[in-house]
């Protein structure tokens, strides 16, 4: 394996400097309010002209199956010193998600005006490259600009939320085909009630229905998702999400799918956690399901080869399970280990120098046409 000439501590510090890191473990992350400055790397780290990853194109294999196979992208997409990022993205992924650029604080930090520039650049690039765009995310307790917290009445916050959703979805209508409308509304507390947030606390539980209604009115063709973490297997939290979306369907709320983030580590047991039974019960409600933020951290202090093999097995089992329930998409939360939000855990399918890892081969094998 080629070695990158940049020392990780420096690199990681540079990368994370503009960010505030969120909840450890699973999901619940945070965002910079706007596009952070790109990490600075010495020119010696760049090896132009190398093939993007592998002779196999995951994108071609996913296309042949009609599967959305995506990656979350950040500012590195536009870094002229990092051409392998776009090359890898375009060769291996048919779908793109903005890692941070479409969050509330990224698009609407100033109450009076949206700032669509960075997100537009991501969307336009994806559309030009024939990639589908997943919108992430319209209403979330995290990454909110300070002005949202100054609102004091239900009416004003409801109107502000509806205006935000309407403004964003209308702007991207026709270019963003699906949205995570509400992210992480269910808490991790015993019994998994809805999570405390300005929206729950001021508007009440119906903020969820209202957000979906506003999104649907702004783009009736967009597929609308509820998205959450630690809900991949059968457990109390996925039960709570199940009840939430079932209730929405009963009330006639326009919801079309559920996203399962799948921020995992190498100890995760896809079969033991009963991911298949969990996804299937949402499919049985008539909803689409997607794995939306997949990454699988290596556990520290263990021999590398074994960890990489375990990581590959988790990716394989997860994709196999996803395909078995005819999932609509499988999205990795980043392109390469180098600039993952959990870079220390090397959780993605391409390593620091864009070489495919064993997890890449495992996904390629799962995506290959039957009989090969
Ligand atoms: C959650 C969010 C993502 C991201 C991650 C951490 O999973 O849904 O947008 O912030 O946390 O990067």
């Amino acid at each position: 394996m080629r070695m990158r000439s940049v020392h990780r501590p420096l690199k990681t510090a540079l990368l994370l400097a503009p960010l505030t890191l969120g909840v450890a473990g699973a999901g619940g992350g945070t965002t910079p309010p706007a596009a952070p400055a790109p990490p600075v790397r010495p020119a010696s780290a760049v090896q132009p002209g190398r093939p993007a990853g592998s002779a196999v194109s995951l994108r071609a294999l996913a296309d042949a199956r009609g599967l959305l196979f995506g990656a979350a992208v950040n500012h590195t997409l536009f870094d002229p010193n990092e051409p392998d990022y776009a090359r890898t993205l375009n060769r291996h992924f048919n779908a793109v998600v903005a890692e941070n650029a479409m969050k509330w604080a990224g698009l609407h930090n100033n109450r009076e005006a949206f700032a669509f520039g960075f997100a537009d650049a991501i969307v336009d690039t994806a559309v030009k490259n024939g990639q589908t765009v997943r919108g992430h995310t319209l209403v979330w307790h995290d990454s909110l600009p300070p002005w949202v917290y100054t609102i004091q009445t239900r009416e004003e916050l409801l109107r502000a939320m509806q205006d935000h959703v309407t403004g964003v979805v209308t702007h991207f209508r026709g270019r963003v085909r699906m949205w995570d409308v509400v992210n992480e509304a269910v808490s991790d507390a015993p019994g998994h009630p809805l999570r405390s947030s300005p929206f729950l606390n001021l508007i009440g539980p119906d903020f969820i229905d209202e957000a979906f209604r506003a999104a649907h009115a702004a783009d009736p063709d967009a597929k609308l998702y509820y998205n959450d973490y630690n809900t991949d297997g059968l457990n109390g939290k996925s039960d709570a999400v199940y009840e939430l979306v079932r209730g929405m369907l009963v009330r006639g709320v326009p919801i079309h799918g559920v996203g399962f983030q799948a921020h995992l580590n190498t100890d995760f047991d896809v079969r033991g956690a009963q991911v298949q039974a969990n996804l299937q019960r949402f499919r049985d409600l008539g909803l689409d399901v997607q794995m939306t933020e997949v990454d699988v951290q290596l556990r520290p202090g263990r021999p590398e080869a074994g960890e990489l093999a375990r990581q590959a097995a988790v990716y394989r089992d997860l994709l196999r399970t996803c395909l078995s329930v005819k999932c609509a998409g499988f999205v990795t939360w980043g392109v390469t280990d180098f600039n993952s939000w959990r870079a220390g855990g090397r959780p993605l399918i391409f390593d620091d120098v864009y070489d495919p890892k064993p997890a890449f081969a495992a996904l390629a094998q799962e995506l290959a046409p039957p009989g090969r």
Side-chain angles (χ1 to χ4, degrees):
M1 189 210 292
R2 265 184 298 272
M3 292 304 287
R4 194 177 263 279
S5 57
V6 186
H7 296 301
R8 177 174 292 286
L10 169 65
K11 194 175 58 179
T12 306
L14 285 168
L15 176 65
L16 297 181
L19 308 180
T20 337
L21 274 189
V23 176
T30 55
T31 354
V40 179
R41 294 199 301 147
S44 59
V46 180
Q47 302 165 35
R50 290 192 295 104
S54 160
V56 174
S57 159
L58 296 183
R59 177 178 185 165
L61 295 173
D63 281 348
R65 283 183 175 269
L67 176 73
L68 207 83
F69 186 74
V73 299
N74 59 29
H75 52 273
T76 316
L77 184 58
F78 304 108
D79 182 350
N81 293 320
E82 210 56 55
D84 281 345
Y85 187 94
R87 209 178 287 145
T88 305
L89 181 74
N90 293 335
R91 174 155 178 76
H92 291 295
F93 297 94
N94 61 21
V96 167
V97 184
E99 182 171 355
N100 292 311
M102 290 190 190
K103 292 170 180 173
W104 193 314
L107 292 178
H108 204 178
N109 203 38
N110 169 0
R111 186 171 186 173
E112 310 311 324
F114 288 100
F116 287 119
F118 182 42
D120 271 341
I122 291 174
V123 172
D124 291 345
T125 304
V127 169
K128 196 179 81 207
N129 289 314
Q131 289 154 321
T132 298
V133 182
R134 283 196 95 245
H136 174 85
T137 177
L138 296 169
V139 178
W140 188 28
H141 65 276
D142 202 314
S143 298
L144 292 170
W147 66 262
V148 171
Y149 294 94
T150 66
I151 296 176
Q152 310 235 339
T153 66
R154 171 184 152 89
E155 291 63 38
E156 191 183 348
L157 186 56
L158 180 57
R159 203 172 338 108
M161 184 191 78
Q162 289 166 331
D163 287 350
H164 175 76
V165 170
T166 304
V168 174
V169 175
T170 302
H171 178 81
F172 291 108
R173 189 167 47 205
R175 294 186 294 155
V176 172
R177 301 245 311 272
M178 59 201 74
W179 283 100
D180 287 335
V181 178
V182 173
N183 197 34
E184 303 179 355
V186 172
S187 83
D188 298 309
H192 303 284
L194 292 181
R195 176 195 300 276
S196 171
S197 71
F199 307 108
L200 179 70
N201 303 346
L202 218 50
I203 299 173
D206 60 329
F207 85 87
I208 299 175
D209 294 4
E210 294 303 337
F212 276 81
R213 289 194 180 108
H216 185 63
D219 183 356
D221 294 328
K223 296 275 190 208
L224 305 182
Y225 279 72
Y226 175 80
N227 191 51
D228 216 325
Y229 66 89
N230 277 358
T231 51
D232 316 298
L234 279 181
N235 58 42
K237 190 169 178 186
S238 61
D239 288 349
V241 171
Y242 180 81
E243 288 308 324
L244 172 71
V245 300
R246 204 168 61 90
M248 291 169 73
L249 290 168
V250 169
R251 292 190 293 279
V253 176
I255 177 171
H256 310 109
V258 176
F260 301 84
Q261 294 184 6
H263 289 297
L264 306 172
N265 65 46
T266 52
D267 285 336
F268 189 76
D269 176 355
V270 172
R271 212 161 311 146
Q274 296 183 268
V275 175
Q276 211 247 349
N278 186 42
L279 300 181
Q280 187 61 52
R281 65 175 166 166
F282 288 90
R283 296 287 288 126
D284 291 344
L285 290 176
L287 294 169
D288 286 344
V289 299
Q290 297 194 19
M291 314 314 296
T292 51
E293 304 185 16
V294 184
D295 57 10
V296 182
Q297 292 204 90
L298 306 183
R299 305 290 285 184
R302 296 185 187 162
E304 176 172 64
E307 277 302 277
L308 290 174
R310 265 188 290 277
Q311 182 180 58
V314 175
Y315 269 100
R316 180 201 60 211
D317 291 351
L318 199 64
L319 179 59
R320 185 177 292 175
T321 303
C322 189
L323 293 171
S324 78
V325 301
K326 299 195 173 14
C327 65
F330 188 97
V331 177
T332 65
W333 203 243
V335 176
T336 163
D337 283 344
F338 165 63
N339 56 15
S340 158
W341 73 299
R342 310 203 289 179
R346 294 155 61 197
L348 295 169
I349 63 173
F350 294 97
D351 70 12
D352 280 0
V353 291
Y354 301 92
D355 276 337
K357 295 163 64 180
F360 172 100
L363 294 188
Q365 210 170 345
E366 280 314 300
L367 287 173
R372 294 274 176 92

